Amino acid sequence: MKKQKFIEKFLTAFFVLVIFKLIAIFAQLSQTDLSTVIGSLFKFIFFAAAAIVLIVLLQNQEKDPQPPPTKNYGGGGLSIDTSLFDKLRSIYEDIARKHIEDNEYKKAAIVYMNLLKDNYRAAATLEEGGFYNEAAVVFLKKVLSKADAANCYVKAKQYDKAIILYKELQQKEKVGDLYKEINDSENALIFYQMVVDDYLQSHQMVKASLVYRNKMDKPNEAQQILLQGWKENKEAFNCLQNYFANISEIGQLEKEIQYLYENTSPDKKIVYLEAMKIEFKKDQRLQKSTRNIAYNIIAENINSRSEIVNELKHFNPDDDVILKDISRYKTGRNRMFRY
């Protein structure tokens, strides 16, 4: 009973204080600008809402003698009513959401950071609102995410700061891209070459060639890397396919196909045959030479790999006679093995 009277007296005093505070805030209109007054009003609303929730919960607790479940928050052994915590959180979430709807991203970020203790959402909200520098600082200092911070610095065109972070993250290709963005071609090439060296070290020949071709504008070096991969059996088929794909002039491509075939070792002829399937379909002018190469490879391997005869159909897609010959060959060979 005494507790109930205390709550009623506290509630009366609280509303009296609310009235005085509102009068004081509106009195500021004569001394400060409207934005300052609105800011003070929002802060007051935050704390007033929290106080009202507390009072309502105390009244409900008086009616219900069973104690509500509690949780410990903040690591300091402080027990907070679970329902109170959830209601406060819901209020703060609604406030932050309303700020975002009103394009007040900085105010929403303050709610996320100070009231909801969610630094990542604060930083993401600042980024969404286009406050990239502020978002980068929160990502870096509060979230401890250099990658997100660097990305925001790039959006803010703070390339020097982004370069420092990407260097720390060992993202050399991004460092090269940013140096290229600020027209520092010398440093860009240095970091792109580091990327190429890393790819070569791990036998990723196609990726190394793409950096040479697309980032460093060195198509000849790119082709040499692909040839190296083909010869050294490092991504051999992909290297060969990309090497051919980079030759746009059909006459030159036909010469390269013939030259490489003549210099291909027997153990790699089957892989070469797979590449010929692709080149055969590329242009009608390549069909005669690629078909002849395919016939030679099939003839060389048919005794040890009888199934290779099926490859003939890829080079004669409209020839029904070839299909029948393949079928007869397979049937005759099966009969031979039965005896």
Side-chain angles (χ1 to χ4, degrees):
M1 190 69 178
K2 289 180 180 180
K3 189 174 182 181
Q4 184 176 3
K5 288 182 179 180
F6 170 77
I7 292 172
E8 291 174 356
K9 289 179 180 180
F10 178 80
L11 188 60
T12 303
F14 172 74
F15 280 113
V16 170
L17 288 173
V18 167
I19 292 170
F20 280 118
K21 183 62 177 178
L22 288 173
I23 292 171
I25 289 173
F26 286 111
Q28 288 181 334
L29 282 171
S30 61
Q31 300 176 356
T32 58
D33 57 13
L34 182 60
S35 62
T36 302
V37 174
I38 292 175
S40 299
L41 185 59
F42 268 113
K43 291 179 183 177
F44 176 69
I45 290 172
F46 292 160
F47 293 108
I52 291 171
V53 170
L54 279 170
I55 293 168
V56 170
L57 286 172
L58 286 171
Q59 287 180 324
N60 290 339
Q61 191 176 22
E62 184 68 22
K63 296 175 183 178
D64 184 2
Q66 281 191 332
T70 61
K71 288 184 180 179
N72 288 329
Y73 295 97
L78 177 62
S79 294
I80 300 178
D81 186 332
T82 303
S83 61
L84 169 60
F85 180 85
D86 292 340
K87 287 182 180 179
L88 283 175
R89 186 174 185 83
S90 178
I91 290 171
Y92 295 148
E93 290 279 2
D94 289 341
I95 292 170
R97 194 178 302 113
K98 183 66 168 61
H99 282 317
I100 292 173
E101 290 174 358
D102 295 338
N103 294 323
E104 296 174 328
Y105 291 95
K106 284 189 175 181
K107 289 182 179 179
I110 290 172
V111 174
Y112 283 130
M113 189 182 301
N114 295 337
L115 299 178
L116 291 169
K117 304 301 179 184
D118 192 336
N119 293 323
Y120 184 87
R121 289 175 72 188
T125 298
L126 289 169
E127 183 180 4
E128 182 184 346
F131 300 101
Y132 301 123
N133 279 307
E134 293 88 339
V137 171
V138 177
F139 273 129
L140 190 60
K141 302 295 184 182
K142 299 289 187 180
V143 184
L144 305 180
S145 173
K146 291 181 180 180
D148 288 318
N151 182 53
C152 285
Y153 278 134
V154 171
K155 291 181 178 180
K157 300 188 184 302
Q158 298 285 330
Y159 298 123
D160 291 340
K161 293 180 180 179
I163 285 172
I164 291 172
L165 292 176
Y166 280 132
K167 283 181 178 179
E168 293 176 4
L169 293 167
Q170 291 293 303
Q171 295 192 25
K172 299 168 187 174
E173 189 167 351
K174 286 185 178 291
V175 174
D177 291 341
L178 292 179
Y179 274 128
K180 192 173 184 179
E181 184 71 26
I182 60 178
N183 297 317
D184 188 346
S185 57
E186 183 178 352
N187 275 314
L189 289 175
I190 289 172
F191 277 87
Y192 285 144
Q193 186 61 52
M194 290 181 188
V195 176
V196 170
D197 293 341
D198 288 342
Y199 281 141
L200 293 178
Q201 186 71 25
S202 58
H203 300 165
Q204 298 183 75
M205 315 302 282
V206 174
K207 287 184 177 180
S209 74
L210 290 174
V211 175
Y212 266 137
R213 177 173 295 276
N214 299 330
K215 303 283 186 173
M216 303 174 73
D217 195 24
K218 294 183 176 182
N220 293 332
E221 286 83 347
Q223 289 293 79
Q224 290 303 313
I225 289 293
L226 293 171
L227 275 181
Q228 179 185 341
W230 164 246
K231 293 175 181 178
E232 297 178 2
N233 268 329
K234 298 172 182 175
E235 296 188 311
F237 176 75
N238 289 335
C239 283
L240 186 63
Q241 186 181 355
N242 277 272
Y243 180 82
F244 289 148
N246 291 331
I247 303 174
S248 57
E249 205 280 309
I250 296 298
Q252 180 63 30
L253 176 58
E254 187 174 21
K255 290 178 182 178
E256 287 295 319
I257 289 172
Q258 189 64 39
Y259 173 79
L260 288 182
Y261 168 67
E262 292 171 358
N263 290 275
T264 295
S265 58
D267 60 302
K268 294 169 68 176
K269 290 287 182 70
I270 300 299
V271 179
Y272 207 87
L273 178 62
E274 292 299 316
M276 291 303 96
K277 293 180 188 178
I278 297 172
E279 301 308 311
F280 178 83
K281 297 176 182 178
K282 188 177 290 183
D283 192 287
Q284 190 172 3
R285 289 170 289 179
L286 295 174
Q287 290 186 353
K288 181 179 179 181
S289 58
T290 53
R291 184 188 290 115
N292 288 338
I293 290 172
Y295 284 174
N296 288 334
I297 295 174
I298 292 169
E300 291 170 3
N301 290 274
I302 197 166
N303 290 330
S304 58
R305 304 169 64 116
S306 60
E307 72 278 3
I308 200 172
V309 71
N310 292 315
E311 304 296 342
L312 288 170
K313 61 187 178 184
H314 295 288
F315 301 91
N316 300 275
D318 301 319
D319 192 336
D320 293 334
V321 175
I322 285 287
L323 296 177
K324 291 177 181 178
D325 288 343
I326 292 172
S327 179
R328 279 197 296 269
Y329 173 82
K330 291 167 69 176
T331 302
R333 191 169 181 84
N334 288 338
R335 286 175 180 171
M336 181 180 70
F337 280 112
R338 287 192 189 126
Y339 297 102

